[in-house]
Every structure is written in C-alpha cells, then in structure tokens.
Amino acid sequence: MSEAEGRRQAGTTARRIVILTGAGISAESGLGTFRDTGGLWSEYDLAEVATPEGYAADPALVLRFYNARRANCRTAAPNAAHHALARLAEAHAGSLTLITQNIDDLHERAGMPAVHHMHGEVMRALCSACGARWRLTGDIAVEDSCTACGTAGRVRPDVVWFGEVPYGLDAIGAALAEADLFVAIGTSGAVYPAAGFVAEAARNGAATLELNLERSEISPLFEAHRLGPATVIVPAWVDEMLGT
Ligand code: BV8
C-alpha cells in the first residue's frame, strides 16, 4: 500500500468525518450490547420490549426494561473510547459529525459537544399524547403524567423502537453526502437504516473505516478495518488522526 493510500485508509487527511457508534463502544463501560453472547436480546424478546406493539401489550414490562437500563446508564462511566472521540471533536481542524445508535449519554458525559441520537435517549421521556420530551434520571411508571399536557398513562422512554422512524435522518443524509471519511465503531451492522450508512458514504466518495471487536455483518463494505476493544483501538486511531 502506498503512503498516500495508507493516509487515505486511516483518514488522517480527512476534512469532513462522520462517525457512527453502536453498543460496542459502551461495552467496556459495563453497558450490555445486544447481540453478543449474553447480550440484551438473549435475555429479552426484542418484540416484547423494543416495539410499539410490545409497549401497547405490556407497558409495565417495557417501562421496567428501560428503567433498568436507565439505572445502569446512571452508574456507568464513559470509557477511553468516548473520551478519545471527544478529544478528536475538540482538536480536529475540519468537521466531525457523531451519530450514535446508543441511547446512553456516555458520549455527552465524555465531553462530546454534539451527538445525533438517531435511536433516541434513555435519559429522556416522551409523552405519546402531546409529543413533549423532557430529561429524567429516575423511573417512568405506567400511571405517570406528562409534565406538559398532564395526560396520565402516556409517558414512555424517548427511544426509537423497531418499526418507528429514527430521528434526524435528513441531517444524517446531508452529513453522509459531504463526508470524506466514514468510521463505524462498535456496531454489528444488524439494524437499518444505520447499517446502510457505510454504503451511502462510500457512494459519495468517502473513505470507510471499521473499528470493532470482531468482523461484523457489514465488514465487507469497509475499505479498512481495525479489530480490538474500543478502549484500545479508538484512542490509537485518534492519536494517529491528530498526529499525537
Ligand atoms: C425503520 C433503541 C422505517 C431502543 C434500537 C431495511 C431498511 C429499513 C428498515 C429495515 C430494513 N430491514 C429491516 C428493517 C426494520 C428494522 C431493522 O433494522 N430490523 C433488524 C432487526 C433487521 N429497522 C427499524 O425498525 C428502524 N426503523 O426502519 O423505520 C423507516 C426507515 C427509514 C426511513 C423511513 C422509515 C428502527 C430501528 C431502531 C430500533 N431501536 N434501539 C433500545 O436501544 O432499546 S436498535 C438497537 O440495535 C440499538 O439501538 C443498537 O444500537 C442497535 C444496533 O445494535 P448495535 O449497536 O450494533 O449493537 P450489537 O449488540 O448488535 O453489536 C455490538 C457490536 O459491538 C458487535 O459487532 C461487537 O462485536 C462489538 N463490540 C462488543 N464489544 C466491543 C465491541 N466493539 C469494540 N469494543 C468492544 N469492547
């Protein structure tokens, strides 16, 4: 590989970077992933806890599932990978767009200035009667009332369930159209439309890099791969990007 090709593959000359993170970046903070051995979907039926139909059938079960994840999120701490990305966002001379599939707030707590939570945030509530959203740290109970319209029994976690449209797709599409580097970190590439972002970025001429513990369903779509724990390979990649 030529030196120029090496620089392209590592992205060190990139001006407009788009990063997509998944549950793997929060794994070493103690937050479970979904599809690894022992992951959340091995303990819970996705259809029962992460779909509007599941919520309608048993709101108490769904609220318990997210109350437990919110409590885990509160006690978890950002790890070296979250901090490295915040350092990159601070020091990178061009633009950096961070899109996360994760509903935790570890990127923000590591100092990341702007985070696109395309699947929502477990630390926010949504009123399905009036659409109001608000930050919360405690539990949501079935009988809770909306802080805006006062309707009881319609308060849910502000997360995007399967079958619901992810947040911010227009802004994400615009960022993918302009990107000259697309990096996926800690995602299995099992969920759409997020799993389709790498192909969209590549079509627009972006270099593509996958940072993951192991090869994923979308690995063949990336030009370059680095395998290992996020707390090791993400800080190393950021050091390379910043020449530190
Ligand atoms: C939608 C919020 C219509 C709730 C989640 C084709 C096109 C469009 C849609 C579809 C399609 N085919 C199917 C669909 C429908 C569906 C879908 O994708 N189904 C799948 C199961 C096939 N998609 C939807 O319903 C989406 N909505 O399509 O609306 C539409 C779309 C566009 C425009 C108009 C209309 C909504 C999907 C959102 C669902 N909500 N989360 C919650 O969190 O409870 S998805 C859920 O999966 C999480 O958000 C999670 O982030 C996401 C993806 O999982 P990953 O993050 O990748 O986690 P996973 O465990 O799978 O993998 C972890 C990875 O990390 C592994 O690779 C592992 O090796 C690695 N790892 C582990 N440890 C480490 C590590 N890496 C580094 N270091 C480590 N230490």
Side-chain angles (χ1 to χ4, degrees):
M1 178 190 315
S2 70
E3 195 185 318
E5 185 50 30
R7 278 202 309 276
R8 170 183 160 80
Q9 290 221 356
T12 46
T13 57
R15 306 296 303 155
R16 295 175 304 283
I17 305 171
V18 174
I19 297 173
L20 171 69
T21 62
I25 199 170
S26 297
E28 291 163 89
S29 293
L31 296 184
T33 61
F34 292 87
R35 296 169 184 83
D36 291 324
T37 310
L40 283 167
W41 298 150
S42 65
E43 290 172 51
Y44 292 90
D45 177 349
L46 173 159
E48 285 181 1
V49 295
T51 62
E53 297 76 15
Y55 176 68
D58 189 344
L61 168 67
V62 172
L63 292 180
R64 275 200 307 278
F65 175 65
Y66 287 99
N67 289 342
R69 289 179 63 193
R70 188 173 308 110
N72 289 344
C73 186
R74 267 205 315 278
T75 55
N79 62 48
H82 296 105
H83 286 294
L85 293 185
R87 185 158 54 87
L88 180 63
E90 178 66 33
H92 177 57
S95 69
L96 186 147
T97 303
L98 181 84
I99 304 160
T100 188
Q101 300 170 90
N102 300 340
I103 60 175
D104 63 57
D105 60 353
L106 298 183
H107 282 302
E108 291 88 341
R109 286 163 55 197
M112 181 57 76
V115 182
H116 292 253
H117 280 279
M118 66 178 291
H119 291 163
E121 299 173 69
V122 75
M123 305 304 271
R124 289 165 66 83
L126 165 66
C127 171
S128 46
C130 74
R133 290 178 167 81
W134 62 94
R135 183 163 171 77
L136 87 168
T137 54
D139 288 352
I140 300 176
V142 173
E143 66 277 6
D144 281 357
S145 299
C146 171
T147 56
C149 70
T151 307
R154 301 288 300 277
V155 179
R156 56 171 276 190
D158 184 19
V159 299
V160 176
W161 285 325
F162 289 93
E164 296 184 322
V165 180
Y167 291 147
L169 291 180
D170 289 345
I172 290 170
L176 293 171
E178 297 297 314
D180 53 13
L181 174 63
F182 177 82
V183 186
I185 303 174
T187 182
S188 62
V191 173
Y192 289 83
F197 291 169
V198 54
E200 195 173 338
R203 271 197 304 277
N204 295 320
T208 52
L209 172 63
E210 182 181 46
L211 305 179
N212 209 49
L213 186 63
E214 58 203 8
R215 290 186 72 82
S216 71
E217 294 185 32
I218 51 176
S219 289
L221 301 176
F222 288 85
E223 287 173 280
H225 309 84
R226 297 190 186 177
L227 298 183
T231 56
V232 173
I233 61 175
V234 175
W237 172 68
V238 168
D239 285 345
E240 205 175 306
M241 288 294 288
L242 298 178
T244 50

